[in-house]
């Protein structure tokens, strides 16, 4: 675990775009017992900006249509992204309720972003199950759901530094990216709708 | 005092009188807990993170606290148990630590009253004045609705489920007399596995006698595992009665593995007794919904659906012949294939018995590229193979589940060969290593029925790991919840290529590959990648 964290610190430092906060965060995780406490207080939120590199994998949307990661993450619209799975009991309902609320405001904007939820349980989450889940959270057309090949989905999670070995160990993270940037704003933790909206507005310069 | 004021008092007395908390009130609370549905028929509303509304089933209590109501753990979120002692008696000094292994670490001291429990559900404020994390929804419930929910929560006392006593935990395995040789192999694996487990817990039970109360819950949760053989004989119509008799004689906490074709009767038994049944070796689960029956695969019906998808996208495929044996599994596979492909292409179903007697293939349409055989290698005689090659069939497709020894036929078949298979086919030496060590040590590494042995061993290991993970909380629901969390982390593998599980997921491997070889000497490789029918 320590080696992994150290590796990610080194990788992030070489990437050249890392904010001071992100390095501090990774460094502090190696020392004290902050992680133990953090596990009891989920309202701990961290934000930082990282230029994630990912392979151009194929994803499948809730209508069964295939789309490449490059097309999905193309720069024609801002993107708000999270990773969920439909049978998840605790973290994902919170993340999805948050998107469900956020979409209402974002949908009213002149250029609404793409809101993207990618399943980290592709063995279970077929397009039909994603459609059902979208309905449960009243997803508007700007919010779409994707699944894919298991190995691709694991690699994508690794690219976004959210892979934690298995799906029930996954962490609550929201990503955003503006059209003019290759870097993603990463928000770790659970946030309010107001906070998320204000992050989005400042990201796209509103 | 006006009549209106008097009636308000009467109402309040009715609401808060404990003697009047009846079954109907508890049932109303149960609907709020499980479905987020109020007695009025509208969804309960709540807020998370301060300003995010949720309603109904989106975040009903059961979502996080689970069916067991013993809470859960998902990375950063620890959800506490809601049993009566945890909520109303504070820290328990008894044997039971109301947590599973993965939930340990967070200490708790929560002594609630009705009023403070209502307050924490509505406002997230604990008895000590601190706030709960904002992922816990703040529910909008009026007094009557709250009364129902509290009555339901308070009805949950953590008593062990049937099949457990102070020293033993009972487990069954059920099998029909269709295939005695396979049943004997399955029993051999299970008996040796549980004998090993029991040998290892002798010290734990001794330590439990000399342990301080702070560690009681740890050592005293060990039980000797007793395996019961439920041999189902005669006609399947009589199985239900046989199962009831076995259960009456000795209730079991769970079932591990089973063998039989007409499995619906056993499936119904597991569901009606709310007994977790972990079923790695059932070739075709019944087409029912279920919670307590957990199968490894949706069976040959799923395999037929994957093969149909593969043939659907192949433009060269116009007419397909399916050869069907006179048995249920073969016919189920054929009708699934027909249903999925029949509209797009011409599918002709021929019984192998008929083909043996007459050369009906000569009457078939001219260009037949593919023949599928839904059966085992024993029934595909050399005579049948030569009848197929005589009309220049290019490709033979089979199911790896119905024909575990595909190579025996592949070697005889001169043309293209294709196998629909949910099983692992590469890197086997690495993934098999752990299980093979155990099987060899037990004298079971002889190459016979290895799929059955791998799957049975894996299921037995899951069961014993889940029993450790629930500690002294002998709740079957909690046991299932632990299994759901374990499959993705498991270091050993059954024969299935893609195993995963999660809350409420009935199957642990849901898809299949189509493996192909163009000529008979070539090894099989992926012709159509892992596909999960929608």
């Amino acid at each position: 675990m320590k080696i992994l964290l150290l590796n990610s610190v080194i990788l992030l430092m070489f990437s050249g775009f890392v904010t001071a906060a992100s390095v501090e965060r990774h460094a502090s995780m190696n020392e004290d017992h902050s992680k133990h406490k953090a596990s009891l207080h989920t309202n701990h939120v961290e934000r930082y900006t990282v230029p994630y590199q990912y392979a151009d994998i194929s994803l499948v949307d809730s209508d069964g249509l295939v789309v490449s990661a490059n097309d999905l993450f193309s720069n024609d619209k801002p993107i708000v992204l999270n990773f969920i799975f439909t049978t998840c009991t605790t973290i994902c309902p919170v993340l999805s309720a948050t998107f469900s609320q956020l979409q209402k405001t974002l949908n009213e904007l002149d250029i609404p972003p793409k809101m993207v939820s990618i399943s980290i349980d592709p063995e279970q989450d077929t397009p039909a199950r994603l459609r059902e889940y979208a309905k449960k959270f009243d997803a508007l057309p700007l919010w779409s759901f994707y699944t894919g090949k298991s190995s691709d989905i694991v690699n994508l999670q690794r690219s976004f530094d959210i892979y934690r070995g298995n799906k029930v160990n996954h962490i609550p993270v929201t990503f955003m990216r503006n059209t003019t940037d290759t870097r993603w704003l990463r928000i770790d933790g659970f946030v309010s709708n107001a906070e998320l909206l204000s992050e989005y507005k400042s990201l796209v310069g509103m | 005092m006006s009549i209106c004021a008097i009636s308000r008092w009467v109402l309040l007395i009715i609401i808060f009188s404990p003697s009047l908390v009846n079954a109907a009130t508890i049932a109303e609370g149960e609907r709020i807990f499980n479905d987020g549905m109020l007695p009025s028929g509208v969804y309960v509303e709540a807020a998370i993170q301060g300003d995010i509304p949720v309603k109904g089933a989106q975040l009903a209590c059961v979502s996080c606290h689970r069916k067991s109501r013993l809470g859960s753990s998902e990375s950063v979120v620890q959800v506490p148990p809601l049993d009566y002692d945890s909520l109303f008696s504070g820290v328990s000094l008894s044997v039971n630590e109301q947590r599973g292994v993965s939930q340990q670490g967070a200490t708790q001291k929560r002594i609630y009253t009705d009023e403070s429990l209502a307050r924490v559900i509505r406002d997230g404020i604990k008895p000590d004045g601190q706030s709960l994390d904002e992922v816990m929804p703040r529910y909008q419930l009026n007094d009557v609705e709250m009364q129902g929910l509290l009555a339901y929560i308070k009805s949950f006392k953590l008593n062990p489920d049937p099949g457990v006593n102070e020293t033993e935990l009972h487990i069954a395995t059920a099998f029909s007399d269709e295939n005695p040789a396979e049943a004997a192999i399955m029993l051999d694996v299970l008996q040796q596995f549980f004998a090993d487990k029991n040998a290892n817990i002798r010290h734990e039970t001794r330590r439990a006698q000399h342990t301080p109360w702070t560690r009681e819950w740890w050592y005293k949760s060990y039980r000797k595992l007793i395996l019961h053989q439920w041999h189902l004989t005669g006609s399947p119509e009589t199985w239900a009665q046989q199962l009831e008799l076995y259960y009456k004689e000795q209730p079991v906490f769970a079932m591990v593995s089973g063998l039989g074709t007409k499995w619906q009767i056993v499936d119904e038994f597991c569901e009606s007794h709310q007994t977790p049944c972990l079923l790695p070796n059932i070739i075709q689960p019944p087409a029912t919904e279920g919670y307590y029956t957990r199968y490894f695969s949706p069976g040959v019906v799923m395999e037929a659906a994957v093969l149909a998808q593969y043939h659907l996208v192949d433009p060269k495929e116009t007419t397909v012949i399916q050869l069907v044996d006179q048995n249920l599994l073969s016919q189920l596979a054929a009708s699934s294939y027909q249903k999925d492909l029949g509209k797009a292409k011409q599918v002709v179903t021929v019984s192998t018995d008929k083909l043996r007697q007459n050369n009906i293939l000569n009457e078939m349409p001219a260009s037949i590229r593919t023949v599928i055989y839904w059966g085992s290698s024993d029934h595909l005689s050399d005579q049948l193979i030569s009848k197929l090659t005589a009309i220049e069939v290019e490709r033979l497709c089979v199911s790896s589940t119905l024909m575990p020894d595909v190579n025996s036929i592949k070697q005889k078949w001169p043309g293209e060969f294709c196998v629909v298979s949910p099983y692992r086919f590469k890197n086997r030496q690495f993934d098999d290593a752990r299980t093979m060590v155990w099987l060899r040590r037990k004298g079971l590494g002889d190459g016979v029925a290895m799929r059955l042995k791998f799957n049975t061993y894996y299921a037995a290991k899951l069961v014993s790991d889940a029993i450790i993970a629930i500690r002294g909380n002998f709740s079957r629901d909690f046991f299932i919840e632990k299994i759901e969390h374990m499959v993705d982390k498991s270091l050993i593998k059954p024969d299935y290529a893609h195993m995963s599980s999660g809350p409420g997921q009935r199957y642990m491997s849901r898809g299949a590959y189509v493996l192909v070889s163009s000529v008979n000497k070539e090894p099989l490789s992926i012709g159509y990648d892992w596909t999960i029918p929608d």
Side-chain angles (χ1 to χ4, degrees):
Chain A
M1 186 65 189
K2 274 189 176 176
I3 293 167
L4 269 178
L5 284 169
L6 202 64
N7 277 343
S8 60
V9 171
I10 292 165
L11 273 174
L12 287 168
M13 286 167 87
F14 275 108
S15 69
F17 289 99
V18 189
T19 60
S22 70
V23 177
E24 266 172 36
R25 177 178 182 276
H26 280 80
S28 73
M29 284 171 75
N30 283 333
E31 301 157 11
D32 54 30
H33 296 277
S34 59
K35 253 175 72 181
H36 299 240
K37 276 189 179 163
S39 76
L40 303 178
H41 299 282
T42 61
N43 53 1
H44 187 69
V45 176
E46 300 266 1
R47 58 187 299 288
Y48 43 107
T49 309
V50 191
Y52 294 110
Q53 303 289 326
Y54 47 84
D56 187 20
I57 59 162
S58 286
L59 294 160
V60 180
D61 74 6
S62 55
D63 292 322
L65 301 172
V66 178
V67 61
S68 73
N70 279 350
D71 285 348
L72 180 63
F73 298 145
S74 65
N75 265 14
D76 56 335
K77 282 178 180 176
I79 298 171
V80 185
L81 164 73
N82 68 14
F83 292 82
I84 51 104
F85 63 101
T86 65
T87 58
C88 164
T89 54
T90 308
I91 289 175
C92 316
V94 174
L95 291 177
S96 297
T98 308
F99 265 37
S100 183
Q101 185 64 9
L102 184 70
Q103 66 171 348
K104 292 177 194 163
T105 319
L106 297 185
N107 200 39
E108 300 301 314
L109 301 177
D110 290 340
I111 306 169
K114 277 192 252 187
M115 294 180 75
V116 174
S117 290
I118 297 175
S119 168
I120 58 166
D121 187 14
E123 295 289 331
Q124 171 77 4
D125 292 340
T126 57
R129 286 187 197 275
L130 292 177
R131 283 198 296 278
E132 213 173 285
Y133 190 74
K135 210 170 147 193
K136 183 175 175 185
F137 286 96
D138 307 315
L140 297 170
L142 82 159
W143 181 13
S144 42
F145 294 80
Y146 297 86
T147 182
K149 206 175 137 175
S150 290
S151 52
D152 285 344
I153 297 281
V154 167
N155 287 336
L156 191 67
Q157 291 178 71
R158 286 207 165 103
S159 304
F160 279 89
D161 189 19
I162 54 156
Y163 185 64
R164 298 292 180 269
N166 67 79
K167 60 181 177 276
V168 290
N169 205 20
H170 84 289
I171 48 173
V173 188
T174 311
F175 299 94
M176 294 178 185
R177 201 193 63 194
N178 195 8
T179 49
T180 55
D181 208 337
T182 54
R183 296 171 305 167
W184 294 81
L185 172 67
R186 173 189 178 117
I187 302 163
D188 272 64
F190 295 112
V191 282
S192 71
N193 182 49
E195 284 167 309
L196 211 52
L197 196 58
S198 121
E199 290 285 3
Y200 180 80
K201 284 181 171 171
S202 79
L203 183 80
V204 299
M206 285 172 70
Chain B
M1 195 182 273
S2 70
I3 290 179
C4 188
I6 292 169
S7 63
R8 189 185 299 159
W9 277 109
V10 171
L11 184 68
L12 278 176
I13 289 165
I14 290 171
I15 292 169
F16 289 108
S17 165
S19 60
L20 289 171
V21 174
N22 55 25
T25 313
I26 293 177
E28 283 177 6
E30 190 174 357
R31 276 186 88 198
I32 296 173
F33 192 94
N34 289 326
D35 310 320
M37 182 70 82
L38 296 171
S40 58
V42 299
Y43 284 128
V44 62
E45 292 186 10
I48 50 169
Q49 298 305 116
D51 63 354
I52 296 165
V54 286
K55 65 174 191 302
Q58 285 176 344
L59 259 181
C61 315
V62 75
S63 179
C64 302
H65 295 281
R66 307 300 317 274
K67 200 168 193 298
S68 70
R69 290 175 278 179
L70 284 169
S72 63
S73 152
E74 249 184 41
S75 71
V76 295
V77 184
Q78 296 267 350
V79 182
L82 296 182
D83 63 294
Y84 190 92
D85 285 343
S86 293
L87 289 171
F88 296 99
S89 312
V91 172
S92 162
L93 303 187
S94 74
V95 168
N96 291 327
E97 165 85 336
Q98 277 85 7
R99 283 165 185 274
V101 168
S102 65
Q103 286 156 274
Q104 285 157 19
T107 51
Q108 59 177 342
K109 187 173 185 182
R110 303 175 293 150
I111 305 177
Y112 284 97
T113 60
D114 280 15
E115 289 71 28
S116 60
L117 194 57
R119 190 176 175 213
V120 83
I121 292 168
R122 284 191 180 118
D123 307 320
I125 297 169
K126 293 190 280 185
D128 62 4
Q130 289 195 334
S131 280
L132 277 185
D133 195 285
E134 294 204 90
V135 294
M136 163 73 185
R138 274 53 169 170
Y139 294 96
Q140 293 167 27
L141 296 167
N142 68 28
D143 288 344
V144 179
E145 294 154 358
M146 182 62 82
Q147 196 66 16
L149 182 59
L150 294 187
Y152 178 63
I153 292 173
K154 287 164 75 175
S155 73
F156 177 43
K157 309 261 173 26
L158 184 61
N159 297 319
D161 275 330
V164 192
N165 62 28
E166 283 301 305
T167 53
E168 295 167 334
L169 189 148
H170 297 270
I171 296 165
T173 185
F175 52 95
S176 71
D177 46 16
E178 288 162 275
N179 194 332
E182 283 197 349
I185 292 170
M186 178 187 82
L187 286 173
D188 200 357
V189 174
L190 291 175
Q191 282 167 334
Q192 297 215 48
F193 183 89
F194 289 114
D196 259 15
K197 279 288 140 191
N198 289 335
N200 280 318
I201 63 170
R202 282 181 305 189
H203 300 303
E204 311 298 344
T205 42
R206 205 191 50 200
R207 279 172 195 149
Q209 292 162 8
H210 307 284
T211 192
W213 64 264
T214 49
R215 292 292 281 174
E216 261 189 6
W217 62 270
W218 182 272
Y219 291 120
K220 283 203 172 167
S221 60
Y222 285 90
R223 296 289 184 278
K224 189 176 180 190
L225 307 176
I226 311 289
L227 180 71
H228 298 267
Q229 299 177 23
W230 289 359
H231 186 184
L232 304 171
T233 55
S235 144
E237 283 78 61
T238 64
W239 288 4
Q241 204 190 350
Q242 293 178 46
L243 286 164
E244 291 300 337
L245 282 173
Y246 278 126
Y247 190 83
K248 205 176 160 196
E249 195 184 309
Q250 177 56 61
V252 295
F253 187 75
M255 181 185 290
V256 57
S257 190
L259 284 172
T261 310
K262 291 198 169 164
W263 199 254
Q264 182 150 353
I265 292 141
V266 186
D267 186 286
E268 282 163 8
F269 169 85
C270 298
E271 296 296 339
S272 69
H273 284 274
Q274 303 191 336
T275 300
C277 293
L278 192 61
L279 302 162
N281 298 311
I282 298 305
I283 288 180
Q284 189 55 61
T288 53
E289 299 280 318
Y291 186 84
Y292 291 95
T293 42
R294 301 294 171 111
Y295 296 93
F296 278 25
S297 169
V300 289
V301 164
M302 175 278 294
E303 288 173 33
V306 171
L307 196 60
Q309 275 196 37
Y310 172 52
H311 289 158
L312 183 68
V313 296
D314 186 347
K316 285 190 277 180
E317 215 67 77
T318 53
T319 306
V320 182
I321 290 183
Q322 323 188 70
L323 294 182
V324 183
D325 284 343
Q326 288 300 318
N327 68 60
L328 183 69
L329 296 175
S330 187
Q331 283 159 8
L332 282 171
S335 63
S336 164
Y337 184 86
Q338 173 82 44
K339 180 172 73 69
D340 287 357
L341 198 69
K343 280 180 196 150
K345 316 243 162 151
Q346 195 182 357
V347 180
V348 183
T349 304
V350 174
S351 97
T352 40
D353 286 349
K354 225 177 189 177
L355 184 59
R356 253 179 229 113
Q357 291 153 15
N358 315 302
N359 216 353
I360 48 173
L361 290 176
N362 292 334
E363 300 152 26
M364 293 292 151
S367 61
I368 299 161
R369 181 158 173 260
T370 300
V371 168
I372 305 167
Y373 171 56
W374 298 115
S376 69
S377 56
D378 319 341
H379 291 110
L380 195 60
S381 61
D382 292 353
Q383 182 216 357
L384 281 185
I385 290 175
S386 58
K387 278 188 179 181
L388 293 177
T389 50
I391 60 157
E392 294 179 348
V393 170
E394 283 176 40
R395 182 160 70 172
L396 177 65
C397 291
V398 299
S399 146
S400 174
T401 299
L402 295 175
M403 188 187 287
D405 53 339
V406 287
N407 279 329
S408 63
I409 298 297
K410 180 176 170 279
Q411 277 158 11
K412 292 180 196 168
W413 183 255
E416 286 179 45
F417 193 70
C418 98
V419 184
V420 58
S421 170
Y423 307 109
R424 292 186 285 124
F425 67 98
K426 55 184 179 187
N427 297 331
R428 289 215 63 136
Q429 66 274 36
F430 303 113
D431 291 333
D432 289 358
R434 280 167 186 267
T435 306
M436 275 312 290
V437 168
W438 188 86
L439 288 173
R440 285 205 185 105
R441 230 176 55 205
K442 301 296 165 191
L444 295 165
D446 52 6
V448 178
M450 294 311 278
R451 178 177 298 158
L452 175 66
K453 290 173 186 167
F454 264 78
N455 291 344
T456 307
Y457 175 78
Y458 182 88
K461 182 85 167 67
L462 266 189
V463 164
S464 84
D465 286 354
I467 290 169
I468 293 169
I470 61 174
R471 287 290 162 208
N473 312 286
F474 293 108
S475 149
R476 290 164 168 177
D477 289 333
F478 200 43
F479 171 81
I480 285 189
E481 289 156 17
K482 292 296 157 196
I483 286 180
E484 288 168 344
H485 276 215
M486 281 176 165
V487 175
D488 293 31
K489 297 185 217 171
S490 178
L491 290 174
I492 63 161
K493 288 179 194 288
D495 207 30
Y496 289 93
H498 288 221
M499 284 292 282
S500 75
S501 186
Q505 298 184 8
R506 196 166 189 220
Y507 305 107
M508 297 187 180
S509 168
R510 303 159 195 86
Y513 297 103
V514 180
L515 307 174
V516 295
S517 74
S518 52
V519 287
N520 59 8
K521 296 284 177 248
E522 252 185 28
L524 290 164
S525 61
I526 294 178
Y528 192 60
D529 210 346
W530 185 257
T531 300
I532 301 151
D534 208 347

